[in-house]
Amino acid sequence: MIDDLGKLLDRVSSPVDLAVVLLSGPLAFLLDAGFDLVPFLPPGYVAVVVASFALGVRKVVEARLTPLREQRDGDKRRQQVRARADALRPRVVTTRLGARLEQEVELYDAGITTEEQFAKAVTECVDDYRYVLRTTFDSGVAGQQR
C-alpha cells in the first residue's frame, strides 16, 4: 500500500495535483474506515484508489481547459498589440514610420506575418517614434529664449 502511494505521488506534477492527492486520499480513508463503504478492501487501498481517481480526473480537466486558456490568452495578446498599433497610427500617419506601420498591419491582416513578428514590428515602430520625439524635443532648441 505504501508503495502504491509512493507511485501515485511520483505522478504529481504541480502543487494542485499534490493538493488533490492529499485531500482526496485521507478523506476516502476516513470515510471508508468509519462507514466501511467498500467492505472488500482495506481503508488504505480505498484511499489510494480514490486519490488516484481524483488525480486522473484533475488531469483530464486540466487537459481540457488548457487549450481554451491558451486561446483566450492569445486573443488577449492580439487585441493588446492591435490596440497599440491603432493608437500609434494617428501620430505617425504622414511619416515614413506611418507607412512602415501600415505595411506591417497589412502583412499581419493578410496572414503573412505571425503574431510574434507583428508584435515585434509594432514594438520597433513605438521605439522609433519615441526616438523621433526625443531627438525633436531634446535638440537643444527648447532651452533657448527668444
PDB file of all heavy atoms in Angstrom, residues 19-55:
ATOM      1  N   ALA A  19      -2.239  18.710  -3.851  1.00  0.00           N
ATOM      2  CA  ALA A  19      -3.388  19.029  -3.006  1.00  0.00           C
ATOM      3  C   ALA A  19      -4.534  18.059  -3.259  1.00  0.00           C
ATOM      4  O   ALA A  19      -5.204  17.623  -2.313  1.00  0.00           O
ATOM      5  CB  ALA A  19      -3.833  20.467  -3.253  1.00  0.00           C
ATOM      6  N   VAL A  20      -4.768  17.709  -4.510  1.00  0.00           N
ATOM      7  CA  VAL A  20      -5.844  16.755  -4.837  1.00  0.00           C
ATOM      8  C   VAL A  20      -5.571  15.418  -4.169  1.00  0.00           C
ATOM      9  O   VAL A  20      -6.459  14.818  -3.557  1.00  0.00           O
ATOM     10  CB  VAL A  20      -5.978  16.605  -6.370  1.00  0.00           C
ATOM     11  CG1 VAL A  20      -6.822  15.398  -6.737  1.00  0.00           C
ATOM     12  CG2 VAL A  20      -6.567  17.861  -6.976  1.00  0.00           C
ATOM     13  N   VAL A  21      -4.342  14.943  -4.270  1.00  0.00           N
ATOM     14  CA  VAL A  21      -3.989  13.648  -3.674  1.00  0.00           C
ATOM     15  C   VAL A  21      -4.083  13.715  -2.152  1.00  0.00           C
ATOM     16  O   VAL A  21      -4.641  12.821  -1.513  1.00  0.00           O
ATOM     17  CB  VAL A  21      -2.581  13.212  -4.126  1.00  0.00           C
ATOM     18  CG1 VAL A  21      -2.096  12.013  -3.326  1.00  0.00           C
ATOM     19  CG2 VAL A  21      -2.577  12.895  -5.605  1.00  0.00           C
ATOM     20  N   LEU A  22      -3.550  14.788  -1.569  1.00  0.00           N
ATOM     21  CA  LEU A  22      -3.525  14.879  -0.111  1.00  0.00           C
ATOM     22  C   LEU A  22      -4.895  15.165   0.497  1.00  0.00           C
ATOM     23  O   LEU A  22      -5.100  14.921   1.686  1.00  0.00           O
ATOM     24  CB  LEU A  22      -2.515  15.945   0.328  1.00  0.00           C
ATOM     25  CG  LEU A  22      -1.055  15.602   0.052  1.00  0.00           C
ATOM     26  CD1 LEU A  22      -0.153  16.730   0.502  1.00  0.00           C
ATOM     27  CD2 LEU A  22      -0.655  14.302   0.727  1.00  0.00           C
ATOM     28  N   LEU A  23      -5.819  15.676  -0.288  1.00  0.00           N
ATOM     29  CA  LEU A  23      -7.175  15.886   0.233  1.00  0.00           C
ATOM     30  C   LEU A  23      -8.079  14.682   0.001  1.00  0.00           C
ATOM     31  O   LEU A  23      -8.837  14.289   0.887  1.00  0.00           O
ATOM     32  CB  LEU A  23      -7.800  17.134  -0.398  1.00  0.00           C
ATOM     33  CG  LEU A  23      -7.218  18.462   0.054  1.00  0.00           C
ATOM     34  CD1 LEU A  23      -7.821  19.602  -0.752  1.00  0.00           C
ATOM     35  CD2 LEU A  23      -7.453  18.680   1.533  1.00  0.00           C
ATOM     36  N   SER A  24      -8.006  14.110  -1.187  1.00  0.00           N
ATOM     37  CA  SER A  24      -8.922  13.003  -1.503  1.00  0.00           C
ATOM     38  C   SER A  24      -8.522  11.699  -0.814  1.00  0.00           C
ATOM     39  O   SER A  24      -9.391  10.944  -0.371  1.00  0.00           O
ATOM     40  CB  SER A  24      -9.015  12.806  -3.011  1.00  0.00           C
ATOM     41  OG  SER A  24      -7.750  12.443  -3.539  1.00  0.00           O
ATOM     42  N   GLY A  25      -7.236  11.417  -0.731  1.00  0.00           N
ATOM     43  CA  GLY A  25      -6.782  10.165  -0.116  1.00  0.00           C
ATOM     44  C   GLY A  25      -7.181  10.032   1.340  1.00  0.00           C
ATOM     45  O   GLY A  25      -7.873   9.068   1.716  1.00  0.00           O
ATOM     46  N   PRO A  26      -6.778  10.978   2.202  1.00  0.00           N
ATOM     47  CA  PRO A  26      -7.170  10.860   3.612  1.00  0.00           C
ATOM     48  C   PRO A  26      -8.681  10.932   3.834  1.00  0.00           C
ATOM     49  O   PRO A  26      -9.214  10.253   4.711  1.00  0.00           O
ATOM     50  CB  PRO A  26      -6.477  12.057   4.275  1.00  0.00           C
ATOM     51  CG  PRO A  26      -5.310  12.328   3.398  1.00  0.00           C
ATOM     52  CD  PRO A  26      -5.767  12.018   2.005  1.00  0.00           C
ATOM     53  N   LEU A  27      -9.370  11.719   3.014  1.00  0.00           N
ATOM     54  CA  LEU A  27     -10.824  11.789   3.153  1.00  0.00           C
ATOM     55  C   LEU A  27     -11.461  10.427   2.847  1.00  0.00           C
ATOM     56  O   LEU A  27     -12.337   9.951   3.581  1.00  0.00           O
ATOM     57  CB  LEU A  27     -11.393  12.860   2.234  1.00  0.00           C
ATOM     58  CG  LEU A  27     -12.895  13.081   2.308  1.00  0.00           C
ATOM     59  CD1 LEU A  27     -13.294  13.571   3.697  1.00  0.00           C
ATOM     60  CD2 LEU A  27     -13.331  14.079   1.251  1.00  0.00           C
ATOM     61  N   ALA A  28     -10.991   9.786   1.789  1.00  0.00           N
ATOM     62  CA  ALA A  28     -11.501   8.454   1.448  1.00  0.00           C
ATOM     63  C   ALA A  28     -11.151   7.446   2.539  1.00  0.00           C
ATOM     64  O   ALA A  28     -11.956   6.574   2.876  1.00  0.00           O
ATOM     65  CB  ALA A  28     -10.946   8.004   0.104  1.00  0.00           C
ATOM     66  N   PHE A  29      -9.948   7.559   3.088  1.00  0.00           N
ATOM     67  CA  PHE A  29      -9.539   6.660   4.169  1.00  0.00           C
ATOM     68  C   PHE A  29     -10.474   6.811   5.368  1.00  0.00           C
ATOM     69  O   PHE A  29     -10.951   5.820   5.928  1.00  0.00           O
ATOM     70  CB  PHE A  29      -8.092   6.958   4.579  1.00  0.00           C
ATOM     71  CG  PHE A  29      -7.589   6.061   5.660  1.00  0.00           C
ATOM     72  CD1 PHE A  29      -7.044   4.820   5.352  1.00  0.00           C
ATOM     73  CD2 PHE A  29      -7.652   6.439   6.995  1.00  0.00           C
ATOM     74  CE1 PHE A  29      -6.581   3.974   6.350  1.00  0.00           C
ATOM     75  CE2 PHE A  29      -7.197   5.602   7.997  1.00  0.00           C
ATOM     76  CZ  PHE A  29      -6.656   4.373   7.675  1.00  0.00           C
ATOM     77  N   LEU A  30     -10.734   8.059   5.762  1.00  0.00           N
ATOM     78  CA  LEU A  30     -11.596   8.290   6.920  1.00  0.00           C
ATOM     79  C   LEU A  30     -13.023   7.808   6.671  1.00  0.00           C
ATOM     80  O   LEU A  30     -13.638   7.189   7.545  1.00  0.00           O
ATOM     81  CB  LEU A  30     -11.612   9.778   7.271  1.00  0.00           C
ATOM     82  CG  LEU A  30     -10.322  10.326   7.873  1.00  0.00           C
ATOM     83  CD1 LEU A  30     -10.413  11.829   8.041  1.00  0.00           C
ATOM     84  CD2 LEU A  30     -10.022   9.652   9.192  1.00  0.00           C
ATOM     85  N   LEU A  31     -13.545   8.085   5.484  1.00  0.00           N
ATOM     86  CA  LEU A  31     -14.906   7.637   5.185  1.00  0.00           C
ATOM     87  C   LEU A  31     -14.999   6.110   5.156  1.00  0.00           C
ATOM     88  O   LEU A  31     -15.952   5.535   5.675  1.00  0.00           O
ATOM     89  CB  LEU A  31     -15.375   8.223   3.855  1.00  0.00           C
ATOM     90  CG  LEU A  31     -15.713   9.712   3.864  1.00  0.00           C
ATOM     91  CD1 LEU A  31     -16.032  10.184   2.453  1.00  0.00           C
ATOM     92  CD2 LEU A  31     -16.884   9.986   4.794  1.00  0.00           C
ATOM     93  N   ASP A  32     -14.012   5.469   4.544  1.00  0.00           N
ATOM     94  CA  ASP A  32     -14.070   4.012   4.462  1.00  0.00           C
ATOM     95  C   ASP A  32     -13.810   3.373   5.826  1.00  0.00           C
ATOM     96  O   ASP A  32     -14.425   2.362   6.168  1.00  0.00           O
ATOM     97  CB  ASP A  32     -13.068   3.490   3.435  1.00  0.00           C
ATOM     98  CG  ASP A  32     -13.295   2.013   3.153  1.00  0.00           C
ATOM     99  OD1 ASP A  32     -14.458   1.653   2.846  1.00  0.00           O
ATOM    100  OD2 ASP A  32     -12.343   1.230   3.253  1.00  0.00           O
ATOM    101  N   ALA A  33     -12.895   3.953   6.599  1.00  0.00           N
ATOM    102  CA  ALA A  33     -12.621   3.391   7.932  1.00  0.00           C
ATOM    103  C   ALA A  33     -13.829   3.590   8.848  1.00  0.00           C
ATOM    104  O   ALA A  33     -14.138   2.720   9.672  1.00  0.00           O
ATOM    105  CB  ALA A  33     -11.387   4.051   8.528  1.00  0.00           C
ATOM    106  N   GLY A  34     -14.523   4.707   8.728  1.00  0.00           N
ATOM    107  CA  GLY A  34     -15.647   4.993   9.613  1.00  0.00           C
ATOM    108  C   GLY A  34     -16.941   4.309   9.202  1.00  0.00           C
ATOM    109  O   GLY A  34     -17.679   3.807  10.048  1.00  0.00           O
ATOM    110  N   PHE A  35     -17.214   4.285   7.909  1.00  0.00           N
ATOM    111  CA  PHE A  35     -18.506   3.763   7.447  1.00  0.00           C
ATOM    112  C   PHE A  35     -18.384   2.448   6.689  1.00  0.00           C
ATOM    113  O   PHE A  35     -19.396   1.894   6.273  1.00  0.00           O
ATOM    114  CB  PHE A  35     -19.204   4.798   6.553  1.00  0.00           C
ATOM    115  CG  PHE A  35     -19.507   6.078   7.257  1.00  0.00           C
ATOM    116  CD1 PHE A  35     -18.851   7.238   6.906  1.00  0.00           C
ATOM    117  CD2 PHE A  35     -20.439   6.131   8.288  1.00  0.00           C
ATOM    118  CE1 PHE A  35     -19.131   8.430   7.548  1.00  0.00           C
ATOM    119  CE2 PHE A  35     -20.726   7.317   8.933  1.00  0.00           C
ATOM    120  CZ  PHE A  35     -20.066   8.475   8.572  1.00  0.00           C
ATOM    121  N   ASP A  36     -17.183   1.988   6.446  1.00  0.00           N
ATOM    122  CA  ASP A  36     -16.933   0.745   5.721  1.00  0.00           C
ATOM    123  C   ASP A  36     -17.700   0.725   4.393  1.00  0.00           C
ATOM    124  O   ASP A  36     -18.500  -0.166   4.116  1.00  0.00           O
ATOM    125  CB  ASP A  36     -17.292  -0.474   6.570  1.00  0.00           C
ATOM    126  CG  ASP A  36     -16.629  -1.740   6.024  1.00  0.00           C
ATOM    127  OD1 ASP A  36     -15.585  -1.605   5.348  1.00  0.00           O
ATOM    128  OD2 ASP A  36     -17.153  -2.831   6.277  1.00  0.00           O
ATOM    129  N   LEU A  37     -17.428   1.758   3.579  1.00  0.00           N
ATOM    130  CA  LEU A  37     -18.123   1.918   2.307  1.00  0.00           C
ATOM    131  C   LEU A  37     -17.774   0.821   1.302  1.00  0.00           C
ATOM    132  O   LEU A  37     -18.615   0.408   0.514  1.00  0.00           O
ATOM    133  CB  LEU A  37     -17.792   3.286   1.704  1.00  0.00           C
ATOM    134  CG  LEU A  37     -18.224   4.497   2.530  1.00  0.00           C
ATOM    135  CD1 LEU A  37     -17.725   5.782   1.877  1.00  0.00           C
ATOM    136  CD2 LEU A  37     -19.725   4.535   2.692  1.00  0.00           C
ATOM    137  N   VAL A  38     -16.524   0.393   1.314  1.00  0.00           N
ATOM    138  CA  VAL A  38     -16.090  -0.677   0.415  1.00  0.00           C
ATOM    139  C   VAL A  38     -15.622  -1.829   1.312  1.00  0.00           C
ATOM    140  O   VAL A  38     -14.477  -1.866   1.743  1.00  0.00           O
ATOM    141  CB  VAL A  38     -14.959  -0.196  -0.523  1.00  0.00           C
ATOM    142  CG1 VAL A  38     -14.580  -1.287  -1.503  1.00  0.00           C
ATOM    143  CG2 VAL A  38     -15.360   1.073  -1.252  1.00  0.00           C
ATOM    144  N   PRO A  39     -16.494  -2.777   1.584  1.00  0.00           N
ATOM    145  CA  PRO A  39     -16.174  -3.803   2.586  1.00  0.00           C
ATOM    146  C   PRO A  39     -15.081  -4.782   2.177  1.00  0.00           C
ATOM    147  O   PRO A  39     -14.418  -5.361   3.025  1.00  0.00           O
ATOM    148  CB  PRO A  39     -17.505  -4.536   2.790  1.00  0.00           C
ATOM    149  CG  PRO A  39     -18.318  -4.231   1.594  1.00  0.00           C
ATOM    150  CD  PRO A  39     -17.839  -2.925   1.057  1.00  0.00           C
ATOM    151  N   PHE A  40     -14.827  -4.955   0.884  1.00  0.00           N
ATOM    152  CA  PHE A  40     -13.856  -5.967   0.469  1.00  0.00           C
ATOM    153  C   PHE A  40     -12.434  -5.412   0.341  1.00  0.00           C
ATOM    154  O   PHE A  40     -11.525  -6.153   0.012  1.00  0.00           O
ATOM    155  CB  PHE A  40     -14.300  -6.622  -0.850  1.00  0.00           C
ATOM    156  CG  PHE A  40     -14.507  -5.649  -1.979  1.00  0.00           C
ATOM    157  CD1 PHE A  40     -13.470  -5.291  -2.827  1.00  0.00           C
ATOM    158  CD2 PHE A  40     -15.768  -5.090  -2.196  1.00  0.00           C
ATOM    159  CE1 PHE A  40     -13.676  -4.405  -3.850  1.00  0.00           C
ATOM    160  CE2 PHE A  40     -15.975  -4.207  -3.230  1.00  0.00           C
ATOM    161  CZ  PHE A  40     -14.923  -3.852  -4.069  1.00  0.00           C
ATOM    162  N   LEU A  41     -12.204  -4.114   0.589  1.00  0.00           N
ATOM    163  CA  LEU A  41     -10.865  -3.525   0.547  1.00  0.00           C
ATOM    164  C   LEU A  41     -10.554  -2.834   1.872  1.00  0.00           C
ATOM    165  O   LEU A  41     -11.429  -2.225   2.474  1.00  0.00           O
ATOM    166  CB  LEU A  41     -10.768  -2.476  -0.565  1.00  0.00           C
ATOM    167  CG  LEU A  41     -10.668  -2.951  -2.008  1.00  0.00           C
ATOM    168  CD1 LEU A  41     -10.671  -1.774  -2.953  1.00  0.00           C
ATOM    169  CD2 LEU A  41      -9.418  -3.789  -2.230  1.00  0.00           C
ATOM    170  N   PRO A  42      -9.308  -2.912   2.295  1.00  0.00           N
ATOM    171  CA  PRO A  42      -8.934  -2.164   3.499  1.00  0.00           C
ATOM    172  C   PRO A  42      -8.960  -0.656   3.202  1.00  0.00           C
ATOM    173  O   PRO A  42      -8.812  -0.235   2.059  1.00  0.00           O
ATOM    174  CB  PRO A  42      -7.516  -2.628   3.811  1.00  0.00           C
ATOM    175  CG  PRO A  42      -7.123  -3.575   2.754  1.00  0.00           C
ATOM    176  CD  PRO A  42      -8.237  -3.750   1.803  1.00  0.00           C
ATOM    177  N   PRO A  43      -9.143   0.169   4.215  1.00  0.00           N
ATOM    178  CA  PRO A  43      -9.237   1.619   4.013  1.00  0.00           C
ATOM    179  C   PRO A  43      -8.023   2.229   3.306  1.00  0.00           C
ATOM    180  O   PRO A  43      -8.159   3.183   2.541  1.00  0.00           O
ATOM    181  CB  PRO A  43      -9.378   2.177   5.421  1.00  0.00           C
ATOM    182  CG  PRO A  43      -9.922   1.063   6.227  1.00  0.00           C
ATOM    183  CD  PRO A  43      -9.389  -0.198   5.600  1.00  0.00           C
ATOM    184  N   GLY A  44      -6.860   1.680   3.531  1.00  0.00           N
ATOM    185  CA  GLY A  44      -5.656   2.212   2.883  1.00  0.00           C
ATOM    186  C   GLY A  44      -5.716   2.072   1.373  1.00  0.00           C
ATOM    187  O   GLY A  44      -5.354   2.994   0.629  1.00  0.00           O
ATOM    188  N   TYR A  45      -6.181   0.938   0.894  1.00  0.00           N
ATOM    189  CA  TYR A  45      -6.295   0.730  -0.552  1.00  0.00           C
ATOM    190  C   TYR A  45      -7.395   1.612  -1.148  1.00  0.00           C
ATOM    191  O   TYR A  45      -7.275   2.119  -2.253  1.00  0.00           O
ATOM    192  CB  TYR A  45      -6.535  -0.737  -0.881  1.00  0.00           C
ATOM    193  CG  TYR A  45      -5.293  -1.570  -0.747  1.00  0.00           C
ATOM    194  CD1 TYR A  45      -5.193  -2.541   0.244  1.00  0.00           C
ATOM    195  CD2 TYR A  45      -4.217  -1.373  -1.597  1.00  0.00           C
ATOM    196  CE1 TYR A  45      -4.039  -3.300   0.381  1.00  0.00           C
ATOM    197  CE2 TYR A  45      -3.067  -2.130  -1.472  1.00  0.00           C
ATOM    198  CZ  TYR A  45      -2.982  -3.084  -0.480  1.00  0.00           C
ATOM    199  OH  TYR A  45      -1.845  -3.825  -0.352  1.00  0.00           O
ATOM    200  N   VAL A  46      -8.467   1.766  -0.416  1.00  0.00           N
ATOM    201  CA  VAL A  46      -9.544   2.652  -0.881  1.00  0.00           C
ATOM    202  C   VAL A  46      -9.000   4.068  -1.015  1.00  0.00           C
ATOM    203  O   VAL A  46      -9.298   4.771  -1.992  1.00  0.00           O
ATOM    204  CB  VAL A  46     -10.755   2.599   0.075  1.00  0.00           C
ATOM    205  CG1 VAL A  46     -11.773   3.671  -0.279  1.00  0.00           C
ATOM    206  CG2 VAL A  46     -11.386   1.225   0.054  1.00  0.00           C
ATOM    207  N   ALA A  47      -8.189   4.497  -0.070  1.00  0.00           N
ATOM    208  CA  ALA A  47      -7.610   5.840  -0.123  1.00  0.00           C
ATOM    209  C   ALA A  47      -6.728   6.004  -1.359  1.00  0.00           C
ATOM    210  O   ALA A  47      -6.797   7.019  -2.060  1.00  0.00           O
ATOM    211  CB  ALA A  47      -6.806   6.111   1.143  1.00  0.00           C
ATOM    212  N   VAL A  48      -5.911   5.007  -1.649  1.00  0.00           N
ATOM    213  CA  VAL A  48      -5.025   5.079  -2.818  1.00  0.00           C
ATOM    214  C   VAL A  48      -5.842   5.082  -4.103  1.00  0.00           C
ATOM    215  O   VAL A  48      -5.567   5.851  -5.030  1.00  0.00           O
ATOM    216  CB  VAL A  48      -4.002   3.918  -2.803  1.00  0.00           C
ATOM    217  CG1 VAL A  48      -3.245   3.848  -4.116  1.00  0.00           C
ATOM    218  CG2 VAL A  48      -3.030   4.079  -1.647  1.00  0.00           C
ATOM    219  N   VAL A  49      -6.861   4.242  -4.183  1.00  0.00           N
ATOM    220  CA  VAL A  49      -7.695   4.182  -5.388  1.00  0.00           C
ATOM    221  C   VAL A  49      -8.428   5.502  -5.608  1.00  0.00           C
ATOM    222  O   VAL A  49      -8.462   6.043  -6.720  1.00  0.00           O
ATOM    223  CB  VAL A  49      -8.687   3.000  -5.305  1.00  0.00           C
ATOM    224  CG1 VAL A  49      -9.746   3.089  -6.389  1.00  0.00           C
ATOM    225  CG2 VAL A  49      -7.947   1.679  -5.391  1.00  0.00           C
ATOM    226  N   VAL A  50      -9.020   6.042  -4.565  1.00  0.00           N
ATOM    227  CA  VAL A  50      -9.764   7.300  -4.691  1.00  0.00           C
ATOM    228  C   VAL A  50      -8.819   8.451  -5.026  1.00  0.00           C
ATOM    229  O   VAL A  50      -9.126   9.295  -5.872  1.00  0.00           O
ATOM    230  CB  VAL A  50     -10.568   7.592  -3.405  1.00  0.00           C
ATOM    231  CG1 VAL A  50     -11.108   9.015  -3.406  1.00  0.00           C
ATOM    232  CG2 VAL A  50     -11.698   6.598  -3.266  1.00  0.00           C
ATOM    233  N   ALA A  51      -7.647   8.492  -4.392  1.00  0.00           N
ATOM    234  CA  ALA A  51      -6.683   9.557  -4.688  1.00  0.00           C
ATOM    235  C   ALA A  51      -6.199   9.440  -6.128  1.00  0.00           C
ATOM    236  O   ALA A  51      -6.044  10.451  -6.829  1.00  0.00           O
ATOM    237  CB  ALA A  51      -5.502   9.490  -3.715  1.00  0.00           C
ATOM    238  N   SER A  52      -5.978   8.232  -6.596  1.00  0.00           N
ATOM    239  CA  SER A  52      -5.556   8.028  -7.983  1.00  0.00           C
ATOM    240  C   SER A  52      -6.652   8.464  -8.947  1.00  0.00           C
ATOM    241  O   SER A  52      -6.388   9.120  -9.959  1.00  0.00           O
ATOM    242  CB  SER A  52      -5.215   6.553  -8.197  1.00  0.00           C
ATOM    243  OG  SER A  52      -4.773   6.339  -9.502  1.00  0.00           O
ATOM    244  N   PHE A  53      -7.886   8.109  -8.647  1.00  0.00           N
ATOM    245  CA  PHE A  53      -9.016   8.514  -9.485  1.00  0.00           C
ATOM    246  C   PHE A  53      -9.161  10.040  -9.502  1.00  0.00           C
ATOM    247  O   PHE A  53      -9.355  10.645 -10.561  1.00  0.00           O
ATOM    248  CB  PHE A  53     -10.308   7.862  -8.979  1.00  0.00           C
ATOM    249  CG  PHE A  53     -11.519   8.267  -9.755  1.00  0.00           C
ATOM    250  CD1 PHE A  53     -11.748   7.748 -11.022  1.00  0.00           C
ATOM    251  CD2 PHE A  53     -12.412   9.183  -9.234  1.00  0.00           C
ATOM    252  CE1 PHE A  53     -12.861   8.130 -11.754  1.00  0.00           C
ATOM    253  CE2 PHE A  53     -13.529   9.566  -9.954  1.00  0.00           C
ATOM    254  CZ  PHE A  53     -13.750   9.041 -11.223  1.00  0.00           C
ATOM    255  N   ALA A  54      -9.039  10.665  -8.339  1.00  0.00           N
ATOM    256  CA  ALA A  54      -9.167  12.125  -8.254  1.00  0.00           C
ATOM    257  C   ALA A  54      -8.053  12.812  -9.040  1.00  0.00           C
ATOM    258  O   ALA A  54      -8.286  13.815  -9.725  1.00  0.00           O
ATOM    259  CB  ALA A  54      -9.148  12.569  -6.792  1.00  0.00           C
ATOM    260  N   LEU A  55      -6.845  12.260  -8.963  1.00  0.00           N
ATOM    261  CA  LEU A  55      -5.730  12.829  -9.719  1.00  0.00           C
ATOM    262  C   LEU A  55      -5.986  12.680 -11.223  1.00  0.00           C
ATOM    263  O   LEU A  55      -5.723  13.602 -12.003  1.00  0.00           O
ATOM    264  CB  LEU A  55      -4.415  12.155  -9.329  1.00  0.00           C
ATOM    265  CG  LEU A  55      -3.159  12.702  -9.988  1.00  0.00           C
ATOM    266  CD1 LEU A  55      -2.958  14.170  -9.635  1.00  0.00           C
ATOM    267  CD2 LEU A  55      -1.942  11.892  -9.568  1.00  0.00           C
TER     268      LEU A  55
END
